[in-house]
Amino acid sequence: MDFIDLKSQYRRIQNSVNTRLQTVLEHGQYILGPEIIELEKQLADYIGSKHCITASSGTDTLLMALMALEIGRDDEVITSPFTFIATGEMIALAGAKAVFVDIDPRTYNIDPALIEAAITPRTKAIMPVSLYGQCADFDAINAIAKKHRLIVIEDGAQSFGAKYKGKRSCALSTIGSTSFFPSKPLGAYGDGGALFTDDDKLAKLMREIRVHGQDRRYHHPRLGINGRLDSMQAAVLLAKMEIFEDEVQARAQLGARYSSLLKDAFAIAPVSTQVVTPFSAEGNTSVYAQYTIEVPDRDQFEVRMKAKGVPTAVHYPVPLHQQPVFAGLGYKTGDFPISEKIASRVISLPMHPYLTEAQQKQVVAAVRESILE
Ligand SMILES: *Cc1c(COP(=O)(O)O)cnc(C)c1O
């Protein structure tokens, strides 16, 4: 069994992928070719955003967004400590200070009720992460941002395709950022990412920053990076977009089935052995970038699952405030108790749109045995 099976998906879209890659090989515009323009239009339409700027990764997009907003030295950006390193890392790389705010124990996303206490005169932006495929509570976050005149940048690297109150992830705030890393809900065959905004000025700036801060050939009014997506990757993503909405539906159904199978499997088990299944906040759909549960004894669970031939992964074992690289921020263990507790309990099960019911039953049987036997 694969944790994420990209081969089944390739077999489904093989003709389209091969044809589109062949087209790139023939026209030879490997950088910012016609596929990029076509993809950006499609993605902007899909998200319901005015502009899409594709980019080299979902890490570079975060940096490009911060650079376009001129967030850097002496500025603070509020984010979640329970995320992939890139979120806090790019705030630091931009020269700003990451200020962490603990998470909601049910959704694992930043807890809006704790944000205001972290705002200082230096706060410039809030960067919520839509973890595991479910959006953070953007109505509450945007209301706080409006009151304090802050920008909101969504790290939607795991939530591309998810909906929050009828709108898509990445169209919920000033800037939305996503990743096309191969294992993400919409994955390329290499690195990639995209930025979304309705703001014309920010869109123009992010486009310039993507190409070394260049506004016309060899004329550079500002600093930028080499942040472009390749035409080859855009060709792959165009093929994947043909089936993406279908896969989003499949992910929702598979997630729901996992939860109901797990509920049945633990129906008569003692309370102390119960697993916690993903919580869907009202108005949210999840794309289950990860299907993540909480288990009582994770170390033992991991070993037992492995012995049964079921791959698992931990996203993420160490919250950012406990990472050595952020020691300089002065946080200590105990500062974000929910993040610390959740980081010690979560584990992700195999999840991709081509998982069969038989495979899910096998995974759930292994979960049950790993905990109860
Ligand atoms: C994957 C991920 C990123 C980084 O994306 P890359 O394309 O791998 O650079 C950033 N933030 C979160 C929450 C992620 O899951």
Side-chain angles (χ1 to χ4, degrees):
M1 191 181 309
D2 295 313
F3 188 70
I4 293 176
D5 171 10
L6 293 172
K7 283 181 234 106
S8 298
Q9 185 197 47
Y10 176 61
R11 280 193 287 275
R12 182 173 172 199
I13 54 172
Q14 193 167 3
N15 288 340
S16 180
V17 169
N18 293 1
T19 310
R20 287 175 186 276
L21 287 176
Q22 193 63 40
T23 305
V24 178
L25 291 172
E26 271 153 31
H27 68 53
Q29 294 175 59
Y30 300 116
I31 303 292
L32 298 181
E35 287 75 16
I36 297 290
I37 294 157
E38 190 183 344
L39 179 66
E40 289 183 346
K41 184 170 183 329
Q42 263 198 38
L43 295 180
D45 287 350
Y46 179 77
I47 291 302
S49 182
K50 192 167 172 196
H51 304 280
C52 167
I53 299 103
T54 53
S56 40
S57 76
T59 300
D60 293 339
T61 47
L62 296 173
L63 181 63
M64 288 161 63
L66 292 165
M67 288 173 77
L69 293 163
E70 294 183 14
I71 291 174
R73 221 157 67 99
D74 300 330
D75 297 332
E76 295 177 359
V77 179
I78 291 173
T79 192
S80 164
F82 189 54
T83 176
F84 179 60
I85 187 72
T87 321
E89 184 187 29
M90 289 307 108
I91 294 169
L93 196 62
K97 182 179 167 197
V99 173
F100 299 122
V101 164
D102 213 352
I103 54 170
D104 176 306
R106 295 184 304 174
T107 63
Y108 314 134
N109 286 324
I110 195 167
D111 185 345
L114 305 177
I115 292 177
E116 278 198 292
I119 296 174
T120 76
R122 295 187 162 187
T123 310
K124 287 284 151 48
I126 308 171
M127 191 182 273
V129 181
S130 297
L131 202 72
Y132 301 154
Q134 171 174 228
C135 292
D137 187 358
F138 276 88
D139 279 357
I141 295 164
N142 287 333
I144 296 163
K146 193 171 172 208
K147 183 172 156 199
H148 296 272
R149 297 170 174 275
L150 306 175
I151 300 285
V152 180
I153 306 163
E154 179 187 12
D155 184 348
Q158 302 185 7
S159 55
F160 193 79
K163 281 188 175 171
Y164 173 84
K165 300 186 181 175
K167 286 173 83 175
R168 296 269 184 203
S169 170
C170 293
L172 304 171
S173 61
T174 309
I175 298 177
S177 165
T178 198
S179 164
F180 303 130
F181 185 80
S183 61
K184 304 283 163 131
L186 179 63
Y189 289 161
D191 282 306
L195 288 158
F196 297 87
T197 187
D198 285 339
D199 185 314
D200 297 343
K201 193 167 149 261
L202 280 175
K204 181 173 180 287
L205 284 174
M206 293 191 292
R207 273 185 201 288
E208 291 176 9
I209 289 166
R210 178 173 69 173
V211 190
H212 303 287
Q214 166 175 291
D215 64 350
R216 57 181 197 272
R217 199 167 168 80
Y218 300 137
H219 184 262
H220 306 267
R222 71 193 73 254
L223 291 177
I225 61 172
N226 175 353
R228 297 168 299 233
L229 182 75
D230 300 340
S231 305
M232 290 288 233
Q233 297 303 340
V236 170
L237 290 166
L238 282 166
K240 292 210 185 185
M241 278 303 283
E242 293 168 15
I243 57 162
F244 185 64
E245 196 44 35
D246 189 50
E247 291 187 339
V248 166
Q249 302 300 328
R251 284 175 175 279
Q253 281 160 16
L254 290 161
R257 192 197 278 152
Y258 255 146
S259 294
S260 101
L261 289 171
L262 283 164
K263 189 166 163 264
D264 292 347
F266 286 85
I268 52 162
V271 176
S272 64
T273 61
Q274 291 293 330
V275 301
V276 179
T277 54
F279 172 81
S280 280
E282 209 185 312
N284 266 321
T285 64
S286 179
V287 287
Y288 294 103
Q290 308 298 341
Y291 183 89
T292 306
I293 60 174
E294 286 174 53
V295 296
D297 182 346
R298 187 178 64 203
D299 289 350
Q300 186 188 64
F301 180 81
E302 256 185 304
V303 174
R304 291 186 174 176
M305 290 292 278
K306 195 170 174 204
K308 292 174 200 303
V310 179
T312 59
V314 175
H315 309 92
Y316 298 90
V318 182
L320 300 199
H321 70 286
Q322 295 177 306
Q323 291 287 353
V325 67
F326 291 129
L329 292 176
Y331 291 110
K332 58 187 187 310
T333 297
D335 282 349
F336 305 104
I338 313 275
S339 296
E340 290 168 24
K341 179 178 166 209
I342 298 302
S344 72
R345 287 173 52 84
V346 286
I347 191 154
S348 306
L349 303 179
M351 182 69 196
H352 57 81
Y354 304 94
L355 210 53
T356 63
E357 183 166 4
Q359 285 174 317
Q360 284 194 293
K361 285 184 169 159
Q362 186 193 335
V363 173
V364 170
V367 171
R368 188 177 184 285
E369 288 160 21
S370 297
I371 294 174
L372 298 178
E373 283 168 21

